[in-house]
Amino acid sequence: MSTPTSCTRRPSVRDSCEQLAYVAAFTVSSYSTTTNRSAKPFNPLLGETYECDRTEDLGWRSFTEQVQFTTPLVAMHTEAKDWTSWQEFTMSSKFRGKYLQIIPLGIAHLVFPASGNHYTWRKVTTTVHNIIVGRLWVDNHGEMEIVNHKNGDKCHMKYMPYSYFSRETPRKVTGVVTDKDGKERWVIQGTWDEKIEGAPVIKTAESTRGKVLYDTGPSTVMWHRDYPPPELEKCYCFTQFAVTLNEPEEGVAPTDSRLRPDQRLMEEGAWDEANDVKVKLEEKQRQKRREKEQEALLAAEEGREYVSYEPKWFRKETDPQTGNLVHIYTGEYWQCKDTCKWDRCPDIFL
């Protein structure tokens, strides 16, 4: 989901390649706040959920659930009038002494029902530098390929890694959109913390060094970042939108993050109490995990199948685009909210 940390134009695109260029700009926008967001977040609890209903003002609503604990995994589903998006997020990490590499796993989907265009992509690597000594700073780097499964359009993007010795613009992102025949149709460039521009390709040529040169039409700013006011530095550098996400709201599920007691206490400035409750919550989850492990051992000894945990709002299905087993939204959350029917929600808080 794009957030008000940035501004993405909503044009009437002429074809799927132009739409793919805008989708590429959308994927970049999710990294715009990572330059100054290096603090460690809360560890979500198994079964913890979060809803964000902005149908009235922004035209979309989103729902997430923590569906796995041993390897933490969150599933998300977002729906609007003209599009639907869903994804799983988990990650692996590598500690290299001075820095920590975070490698996101899982695939994001974006579908436009009117045209049938179905896009997928994977996130790039994030590296947190100066883990031991110095000021933490974040870099996003790697390659990303966005694919339109309807017609074979692709966008290959490169996030340039920062180098003290490089003359490249810091945080630079470049990309080329090609159609099903491999013909270059659009080029995009910019930075992941500032803005992305796109331009249609008129013709291509090859330089003497074998590099492809693009003759393009006028460029368009497809996304640019809206900076928060300076006073939000006191709020962990959250954007104005992010600051509102933890405001209490009536009618949410009992597992919603806004009802999590340690997070609420910290929001109210009760730091010592928040830490005490956090320890109790984590111990409660560890105890449940130990009980599940004992049940699994007993089931194995008795030769019967054992299911350790079943998500409440998602179910595992085979993704027809990738062939992977993924968590798909059941479509039941908002109906249960309308009737205040929360009997399926686990008891995860104190």
Side-chain angles (χ1 to χ4, degrees):
M1 297 257 336
S2 182
T3 73
T5 63
S6 58
C7 178
T8 305
R9 294 180 66 246
R10 297 184 178 181
S12 297
V13 295
R14 289 165 290 188
D15 56 37
S16 60
C17 286
E18 184 177 4
Q19 184 181 64
L20 178 49
Y22 277 97
V23 171
F26 165 77
T27 65
V28 175
S29 69
S30 64
Y31 297 100
S32 62
T33 61
T34 58
T35 53
N36 50 13
R37 293 274 295 280
S38 55
K40 183 180 180 295
F42 278 83
N43 290 324
L45 304 173
L46 183 62
E48 189 172 345
T49 61
Y50 184 81
E51 67 161 79
C52 185
D53 190 349
R54 300 300 296 267
T55 306
E56 293 185 1
D57 56 342
L58 299 178
W60 53 261
R61 61 185 184 182
S62 182
F63 176 74
T64 62
E65 179 184 3
Q66 188 74 14
V67 296
Q68 191 171 289
F69 177 71
T70 50
T71 302
L73 187 150
V74 62
M76 184 192 80
H77 181 88
T78 307
E79 55 193 40
K81 178 181 178 182
D82 301 322
W83 54 269
T84 303
S85 178
W86 66 94
Q87 64 178 304
E88 289 184 335
F89 182 81
T90 184
M91 64 183 185
S92 63
S93 61
K94 297 179 181 179
F95 180 57
R96 302 298 190 186
K98 293 183 179 180
Y99 62 88
L100 174 69
Q101 279 194 335
I102 301 168
I103 301 96
L105 306 174
I107 299 177
H109 294 254
L110 175 62
V111 176
F112 294 88
S115 63
N117 291 331
H118 186 154
Y119 303 97
T120 63
W121 65 91
R122 296 178 184 270
K123 290 181 173 291
V124 297
T125 299
T126 296
T127 299
V128 184
H129 294 269
N130 293 341
I131 293 293
I132 305 299
V133 178
R135 181 179 179 182
L136 293 176
W137 62 278
V138 176
D139 189 28
N140 299 297
H141 53 91
E143 299 189 10
M144 174 190 293
E145 186 170 71
I146 309 171
V147 179
N148 185 347
H149 294 273
K150 179 187 177 184
N151 57 18
D153 293 345
K154 294 181 181 180
C155 179
H156 187 77
M157 303 179 66
K158 292 183 179 180
Y159 288 65
M160 306 299 184
Y162 175 80
S163 173
Y164 180 80
F165 303 101
S166 176
R167 296 183 179 180
E168 291 283 4
T169 303
R171 307 177 184 122
K172 183 178 180 180
V173 180
T174 62
V176 178
V177 175
T178 57
D179 60 22
K180 63 179 180 179
D181 299 318
K183 182 179 179 181
E184 296 89 345
R185 298 287 301 278
W186 279 77
V187 293
I188 62 173
Q189 63 177 351
T191 59
W192 51 260
D193 68 328
E194 188 69 34
K195 69 177 180 180
I196 291 293
E197 296 180 340
V201 176
I202 298 175
K203 63 179 181 180
T204 62
E206 189 172 322
S207 70
T208 55
R209 297 182 179 181
K211 184 178 180 180
V212 178
L213 302 176
Y214 300 102
D215 185 6
T216 65
S219 63
T220 301
V221 176
M222 295 182 161
W223 161 77
H224 68 82
R225 180 181 178 185
D226 286 341
Y227 283 87
E231 60 267 22
L232 286 184
E233 290 184 2
K234 300 176 182 179
C235 299
Y236 307 97
C237 295
F238 283 1
T239 63
Q240 289 177 310
F241 176 76
V243 166
T244 67
L245 295 180
N246 201 38
E247 292 181 355
E249 183 176 332
E250 295 183 0
V252 299
T255 51
D256 194 276
S257 295
R258 281 160 290 197
L259 302 177
R260 181 170 169 164
D262 55 344
Q263 184 168 287
R264 180 56 49 200
L265 286 167
M266 194 187 79
E267 183 92 0
E268 295 169 354
W271 298 97
D272 292 339
E273 294 90 335
N275 188 61
D276 291 341
V277 172
K278 176 178 178 292
V279 171
K280 292 177 181 179
L281 279 174
E282 291 176 345
E283 178 54 35
K284 179 179 180 179
Q285 180 156 265
R286 282 192 289 268
Q287 178 60 35
K288 286 188 176 181
R289 183 179 177 182
R290 288 191 290 266
E291 292 173 0
K292 292 290 185 181
E293 289 173 347
Q294 290 298 320
E295 292 173 2
L297 287 173
L298 181 60
E301 292 174 357
E302 296 176 353
R304 55 185 173 85
E305 185 180 0
Y306 176 75
V307 179
S308 62
Y309 180 79
E310 287 287 347
K312 309 309 176 185
W313 309 102
F314 291 81
R315 61 174 176 267
K316 284 188 176 181
E317 293 183 1
T318 300
D319 186 339
Q321 272 70 40
T322 64
N324 297 333
L325 196 62
V326 296
H327 290 86
I328 302 297
Y329 176 56
T330 63
E332 299 171 309
Y333 178 81
W334 300 107
Q335 292 89 332
C336 288
K337 182 182 179 181
D338 290 340
T339 58
C340 295
K341 188 177 180 181
W342 302 122
D343 54 300
R344 74 176 70 181
C345 293
D347 175 24
I348 60 174
F349 299 141
L350 298 177

